[in-house]
């Protein structure tokens, strides 16, 4: 019975593959993160097909490519990844693939002088550029160039879509500035589990403190927790935040630690940091995810 099921599944899978090859003549793009995927589909429209490797709640620092991902990479006409070592466990695979087909590290197009160094890592930069819309625009433009190179016959179409998307990003940037200004200046402190918001803080004038470094690979120490608890009490911070792709353990320890010292700090809500919401929902888009974060941050801190 079990064997029959497996056999049927294999036949169905094979049929599926064959069908895909026959009908799918559009260039196919594989992106690692949801944020990159969102830029790809906004620019490519119906002229290409695309898929993302990492879905909601997935931590890119720790993610290892599965067999399924490898076959997706192999079938892709173009691979888009963030780079700057965000996908730390996939760098070797992506480098190897780069010798066989177009592979673009979109975030590496941000000018060096706009990158922040990664504290605790020698000669490395912070990869979380998507939380400053202006830095992210460079990645979007790099994706646009790569799509045009792949399918130059539709250049005008991609250029028009890029223009519209960048305009939407510019409105998002103004919106974020306006919303942040609702938080009293002395309350503009964002405490999170890991350091994904350095560019966000730099761009929008909010101090950022995190328990873990820029990669979730390193563990946080007890000293970090004590420092953050002092900071929260000193500044009378009302809320701190958890992230959808990082364990809540460290943040809960801070809440408990504050309580023991007589200061009540609440969890302000979930922030999307390194992964977006479910595809097909508002939070499953780059702009929707960003707005959701802003809503959560402003409501908890103002
Ligand atoms: Zn991260």
């Amino acid at each position: 019975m079990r064997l029959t099921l497996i056999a049927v599944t294999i036949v169905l899978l094979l049929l599926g593959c064959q069908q895909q090859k026959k009908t799918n003549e559009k260039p196919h793009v594989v992106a690692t993160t949801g944020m990159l995927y969102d830029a790809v589909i906004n620019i490519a429209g119906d002229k290409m097909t695309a898929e993302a490797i990492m879905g909601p709640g997935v931590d890119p620092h720790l993610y290892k490519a599965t067999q399924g991902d490898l076959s997706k990479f192999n079938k892709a006409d173009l691979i888009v990844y963030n780079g700057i070592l965000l996908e730390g466990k996939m760098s070797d695979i992506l480098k190897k693939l780069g010798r066989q087909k177009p592979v673009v590290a979109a975030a590496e197009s941000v000018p060096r002088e706009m990158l922040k160094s990664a504290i605790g890592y020698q000669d490395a930069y912070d990869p979380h550029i998507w939380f400053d819309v202006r830095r992210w625009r460079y990645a979007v433009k790099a994706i646009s160039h790569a799509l045009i190179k792949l399918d130059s016959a539709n250049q005008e179409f991609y250029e028009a879509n890029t223009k519209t998307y960048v305009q939407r990003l510019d409105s998002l940037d103004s919106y974020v500035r306006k919303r942040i200004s609702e938080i009293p200046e002395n309350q503009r402190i964002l405490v999170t589990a890991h350091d994904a918001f350095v560019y966000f803080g730099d761009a929008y004038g909010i101090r950022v403190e995190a328990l873990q470094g820029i990669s979730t690979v390193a563990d946080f120490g007890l000293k970090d927790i004590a420092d953050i608890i002092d900071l929260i009490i000193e500044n009378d911070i009302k809320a701190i935040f958890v992230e959808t792709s990082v364990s809540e353990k460290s943040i809960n320890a801070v809440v408990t630690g504050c309580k023991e010292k007589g200061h009540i700090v609440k969890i302000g809500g979930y922030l999307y940091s390194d992964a977006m919401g479910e595809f097909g929902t508002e939070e499953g888009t780059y702009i929707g995810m960003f707005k959701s974060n802003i809503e959560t941050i402003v409501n908890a801190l103002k």
Side-chain angles (χ1 to χ4, degrees):
M1 182 62 191
R2 227 179 168 177
L3 271 176
T4 327
L5 249 178
I6 293 170
V8 168
T9 314
I10 290 171
V11 170
L12 283 176
L13 279 174
L14 286 173
L15 279 174
C17 289
Q18 267 175 353
Q19 230 168 11
Q20 207 182 10
K21 263 190 192 149
K22 264 186 215 162
T23 52
N24 186 3
E25 283 160 7
K26 294 175 185 177
H28 185 63
V29 185
V30 172
T32 54
T33 69
M35 293 70 90
L36 296 162
Y37 166 78
D38 191 62
V40 169
I41 56 169
N42 271 284
I43 300 166
D46 60 356
K47 306 276 188 238
M48 293 184 185
T49 55
E51 65 189 321
I53 293 287
M54 293 180 264
V58 176
D59 180 343
H61 303 285
L62 305 177
Y63 189 80
K64 287 187 189 124
T66 63
Q67 274 305 319
D69 298 334
L70 294 181
S71 74
K72 283 177 191 170
F73 283 142
N74 284 327
K75 272 186 238 158
D77 298 302
L78 166 70
I79 296 167
V80 179
Y81 73 109
N82 188 83
I84 325 181
L85 286 182
L86 176 75
E87 303 94 336
K89 312 256 181 209
M90 288 199 280
S91 329
D92 291 344
I93 296 167
L94 291 162
K95 233 174 248 162
K96 256 182 224 158
L97 285 160
R99 288 182 219 123
Q100 299 158 22
K101 60 176 74 193
V103 175
V104 176
E108 290 179 10
S109 62
V110 176
R112 273 292 141 92
E113 64 272 17
M114 289 176 82
L115 293 178
K116 299 256 176 204
S117 19
I119 298 155
Y121 293 82
Q122 229 186 340
D123 300 328
Y125 294 101
D126 181 338
H128 304 88
I129 63 148
W130 55 92
F131 282 128
D132 167 18
V133 179
R134 290 183 184 177
R135 284 178 173 93
W136 187 238
R137 269 200 319 211
Y138 286 95
V140 169
K141 289 199 171 151
I143 292 171
S144 175
H145 287 145
L147 298 186
I148 290 168
K149 211 169 163 193
L150 184 64
D151 178 28
S152 55
N154 289 307
Q155 178 166 359
E156 278 176 29
F157 175 83
Y158 300 129
E159 279 172 352
N161 284 354
T162 305
K163 200 175 159 201
T164 310
Y165 192 53
V166 168
Q167 275 165 357
R168 288 178 61 210
L169 294 182
D170 289 344
S171 327
L172 173 69
D173 189 65
S174 319
Y175 173 80
V176 175
R177 282 167 207 285
K178 203 181 106 226
R179 292 302 312 268
I180 292 291
S181 70
E182 291 173 27
I183 306 171
E185 243 168 277
N186 64 358
Q187 288 295 305
R188 286 181 204 164
I189 304 177
L190 183 71
V191 178
T192 59
H194 100 294
D195 231 344
F197 298 96
V198 171
Y199 295 116
F200 175 77
D202 179 57
Y204 304 110
I206 186 160
R207 179 173 167 190
V208 174
E209 293 290 340
L211 282 162
Q212 267 182 315
I214 58 140
S215 170
T216 52
V217 173
D219 229 348
F220 63 93
L222 279 174
K223 188 177 170 287
D224 297 345
I225 290 199
D227 286 350
I228 295 230
I229 290 170
D230 289 345
L231 173 99
I232 291 170
I233 296 172
E234 259 166 47
N235 292 282
D236 198 18
I237 296 173
K238 285 189 276 187
I240 59 176
F241 301 88
V242 279
E243 293 166 48
T244 61
S245 55
V246 182
S247 158
E248 286 178 32
K249 213 175 74 189
S250 56
I251 284 294
N252 286 333
V254 173
V255 173
T256 311
C258 284
K259 206 174 161 190
E260 280 166 5
K261 289 193 164 181
H263 178 83
I264 301 298
V265 65
K266 63 175 184 190
I267 303 265
Y270 276 95
L271 298 182
Y272 296 102
S273 55
D274 292 1
M276 307 198 303
E278 294 287 341
F279 295 121
T281 67
E282 196 54 30
E283 290 79 16
T285 68
Y286 172 76
I287 292 173
M289 161 197 73
F290 212 129
K291 283 190 169 168
S292 162
N293 277 356
I294 286 300
E295 193 69 24
T296 306
I297 294 169
V298 174
N299 285 344
L301 296 182
K302 79 173 176 190

